[in-house]
Amino acid sequence: MAEKPIQGEKRVFMTGNEVVAWAALAADVDIMYGYPITPQNEIMHYWTRLAPKYDRKFLQTEDEISAGFTTCGGVLSGKRAFTATAGPGNTLMQEAMTMAEMMRIPLVQVVQQRGGPSTATVIYSQQEVTMTCYGGNGEGLRIVYSTGSHQELFDYTIKAFNIAWKYRFPTCVLGDGYQAKMRESLYIYDPAIKGIEMTNTYPFVGSDGMPGIDREPNHLRNTYNTEEELYEVVKNLVTEYEKISPEVVEYQTFDTDDAEIVIIAHGIVTRAAQAAVNSLREQGIKAGHFRPVTLRPFAGEQLRAIAKKAKKIIVAESAQGQLRKLVTDAIYGESVPLENYFKPGQGITAEELVDYVKGL
Amino acid sequence: MSKVPNMPKSWRVETKPHKFCPGCGHGLVLKALGEAIDELNIQDRIVFGCDIGCSLLSWDFFNVDTVQTHHGRTTPVMTGIKRARPDRICIAYMGDGGGYAIGSQHLVNAASRNEKITLILANNCNYGMTGGQMAPTTLPGMKTETSPYGRDIEDTGYPTQGPEMVAAITQHKAYVARGTVANVRQLKNYIKKALQNQMDNNGFSFVEALAGCPTNWSTNAKDTWAFIEEEMPKYFKVGEIKTPAQKEENTNG
Ligand SMILES: Cc1ncc(C[n+]2csc(CCOP(=O)(O)OP(=O)(O)O)c2C)c(N)n1
Ligand code: SF4
Ligand SMILES: [Mg+2]
């Protein structure tokens, strides 16, 4: 047995992609499958350098369709497996995400969002929210963590494996090109020293014993014959998803108790929103910030309570209203006016948010 | 039980009779596969994957762990399992549409990487499940729902020569053959060798099986067999195309 990749806890200064690779190592991930795309490449680069030292594996596939489906295979065989992608690669991967959704395959996907539509930029965006939450021909039965810092990338990558295997829904860590490529300080650690116990994995196929004699064979399918049969299956999936949602949902609030103006932002834009709120408060403006950490499931009830009290809500995102769709869906019926601060494919600073709020 | 015709031991009795149309080639390919599994005594090590296409009907066919995947995606799912669990024997079962059209990049790259899995592909010259459209393997002049005047080779090219292509892009460790449901014994032997190649941890193995689709061909039993035995082999030569031993001899000599 190779020794633990991270002993205890260490202060480090590294890129987000490197952080993800270390987190996967620390989470006892057995195998990564992937296809090159900027800005996630270095996850694979670090993984392929580190993995053999700790008896872990890697497969470079022919495309992201294959990366998604080979990851499904790895998970079905009982291993902690993951893949990472971005932009057009995420598009191709949606097919496998729907299979994981339908067959309850605890696949973990890391997405480092880049500009869209199409090939666009390799730099940054928040334009993969709708796709990551709801892509493919399904009902969006996934868990999506939108991280905002390198520390969170580390924490939530580890958590993604535990949550995926605990609840058996495909789980995504949604980062972006800034988080992928920037260097930042954080603590990396052996999960055990934080009392984090890795959820057990088990094979769906390929366990021991003679099928039909020692045990029943495991026959897994995703095709059904009648409307009624499918309805039953999907209803059960949805019921299960809704049941676990309160346990899974995560969000943060900043000065929302008495806030008249509430900025809603996720991912790295939460940093600008937090700083903007501090600055606005200093200037005597009652601003607050609501940050969904999970985009699926979404903290709808909690947001509604805040929306009831607010005089104005601003949705700030590096996309043309993808977060806003989640927000309006969650607070349908509330009368609070919504303002949009949309910058598709471009970063958002605290200063511009402050100026925007003051200009309202 | 006594009424049950002699079925391979690895078949799941509870799900028989199977769900394919009468006279369908899939049943015969899976008979050959079942016998091969029995004779190699590997039932407890198999993970079987089926595509979407009429092969999907085999999702509960065997007493082995089975994953039904998506159209064309059986190769990567089985690759993923094999990479994570090299001690399992992984079989990807698909149609000609799944293998040569929508999943062709997976076939080509799994073969190029010498993935240690076994692909078995039923070639019935059309898309059976979706109602008989033209496939990469549709014969010149053959009528299908999307080539109603017969496949025009000027417009849509020649039938895909799958095993020949795989043989061309694999190295000496691959096993490649084309069998036919008209000779189940021979087909079983090819499949056995293909599985043995995986068990030996040697490399990629691929068997195409010429198979009938009487439903979409609109043929009676006699014409179905005539098509399989006389028409198909004109384009699709039956036999072993690449065997690891043969190649080793060559390189030694
Ligand atoms: C992505 C996708 N495209 C199309 C289909 C529809 N579809 C289902 S089976 C099939 C063709 C099957 O033909 P083949 O692979 O030759 O298998 P056969 O039924 O002939 O055995 C198609 C196109 C699908 N299920 N998924
Ligand atoms: S449609 Fe053709 S391939 Fe499909 S089960 Fe019927 S005969 Fe077999
Ligand atoms: Mg076919």
Side-chain angles (χ1 to χ4, degrees), chain A residues 154-359:
Chain A
F154 189 82
D155 298 345
Y156 282 102
T157 299
I158 292 171
K159 189 167 195 172
F161 290 99
N162 286 333
I163 292 293
W165 279 93
K166 180 167 179 196
Y167 297 112
R168 280 185 54 183
F169 285 103
T171 302
C172 177
V173 178
L174 184 66
D176 58 59
Y178 288 168
Q179 295 182 66
K181 297 279 198 177
M182 278 187 324
R183 271 176 207 284
E184 203 164 89
S185 304
L186 72 151
Y187 288 100
I188 62 173
Y189 49 81
D190 168 11
I193 67 152
K194 303 267 179 189
I196 300 172
E197 226 176 281
M198 297 309 296
T199 311
N200 273 339
T201 65
Y202 49 86
F204 296 60
V205 290
S207 41
D208 293 336
M210 180 62 80
I213 294 175
D214 306 328
R215 62 177 178 92
E216 283 302 292
N218 224 347
H219 288 148
L220 310 174
R221 64 167 165 164
N222 55 60
T223 312
Y224 297 90
N225 297 319
T226 65
E227 289 173 43
E228 290 74 16
E229 204 182 3
L230 175 69
Y231 175 69
E232 203 53 37
V233 169
V234 178
K235 205 178 67 182
N236 287 340
L237 287 174
V238 170
T239 305
E240 186 67 15
Y241 186 83
E242 284 172 353
K243 197 182 93 198
I244 66 143
S245 287
E247 292 171 41
V248 172
V249 81
E250 288 186 39
Y251 65 98
Q252 287 182 314
T253 55
F254 302 88
D255 292 329
T256 48
D257 283 351
D258 63 340
E260 293 175 351
I261 296 174
V262 175
I263 303 172
I264 304 178
H266 76 97
I268 202 161
V269 181
T270 186
R271 298 189 188 197
Q274 289 174 40
V277 165
N278 287 342
S279 167
L280 289 163
R281 286 270 167 180
E282 278 165 19
Q283 298 172 54
I285 298 170
K286 285 192 170 167
H289 166 42
F290 178 85
R291 175 205 177 189
V293 175
T294 49
L295 300 182
R296 279 289 286 155
F298 194 84
E301 272 170 48
Q302 295 84 349
L303 179 59
R304 188 184 286 277
I306 290 166
K308 278 188 191 305
K309 296 187 297 181
K311 296 215 169 82
K312 191 159 275 183
I313 283 179
I314 298 158
V315 181
E317 57 177 315
S318 298
Q320 192 65 29
Q322 300 196 22
L323 172 62
R324 189 189 147 113
K325 286 198 186 79
L326 300 176
V327 168
T328 48
D329 195 30
I331 63 168
Y332 176 76
E334 299 302 329
S335 56
V336 58
L338 248 64
E339 303 288 340
N340 304 326
Y341 195 80
F342 297 160
K343 289 182 78 184
Q346 230 192 323
I348 296 174
T349 64
E351 293 71 28
E352 59 187 299
L353 283 180
V354 169
D355 289 347
Y356 178 76
V357 170
K358 285 161 72 180

Side-chain angles (χ1 to χ4, degrees), chain B residues 95-97 122-128 135 137:
Chain B
D96 42 348
N123 174 1
N124 56 17
C125 296
N126 81 114
Y127 287 179
T137 44

Side-chain angles (χ1 to χ4, degrees), chain A residues 78-113:
Chain A
K79 302 294 180 183
R80 242 178 240 113
F82 84 115
T83 183
T85 190
N90 195 7
T91 306
L92 291 188
M93 218 171 260
Q94 290 308 311
E95 193 194 333
M97 295 305 289
T98 66
M99 187 167 111
E101 212 174 311
M102 178 60 121
M103 300 171 84
R104 301 286 300 271
I105 301 172
L107 170 155
V108 171
Q109 181 204 31
V110 177
V111 174
Q112 302 287 32
Q113 297 168 93

Side-chain angles (χ1 to χ4, degrees), chain A residues 33 57 59 62-63 65 69-70 73 77 79 95 99 205-206 211 215-223, chain B residues 12 43 52 59 62-66 68-70 73 76-77 80-81 83-85 88 105-106 109 113:
Chain A
Y33 307 84
K57 296 179 190 171
L59 176 65
E62 57 275 19
D63 57 28
I65 300 175
F69 281 100
T70 47
S77 71
K79 302 294 180 183
E95 193 194 333
M99 187 167 111
V205 290
R215 62 177 178 92
E216 283 302 292
N218 224 347
H219 288 148
L220 310 174
R221 64 167 165 164
N222 55 60
T223 312
Chain B
R12 186 165 175 81
Q43 189 184 338
I52 299 302
W59 72 277
F62 292 104
N63 253 337
V64 307
D65 286 353
T66 303
Q68 184 184 70
T69 71
H70 284 193
R73 312 305 174 213
V77 173
I81 293 174
R83 287 274 175 165
R85 288 287 306 275
R88 299 291 101 176
Q105 78 275 39
H106 307 312
N109 285 281
R113 290 194 306 259

Side-chain angles (χ1 to χ4, degrees), chain A residues 95, chain B residues 26 52-55 71 95-98 102 124 126-130:
Chain A
E95 193 194 333
Chain B
H26 279 290
I52 299 302
C54 290
S55 70
H71 188 32
D96 42 348
I102 195 166
N124 56 17
N126 81 114
Y127 287 179
M129 172 127 280
T130 41

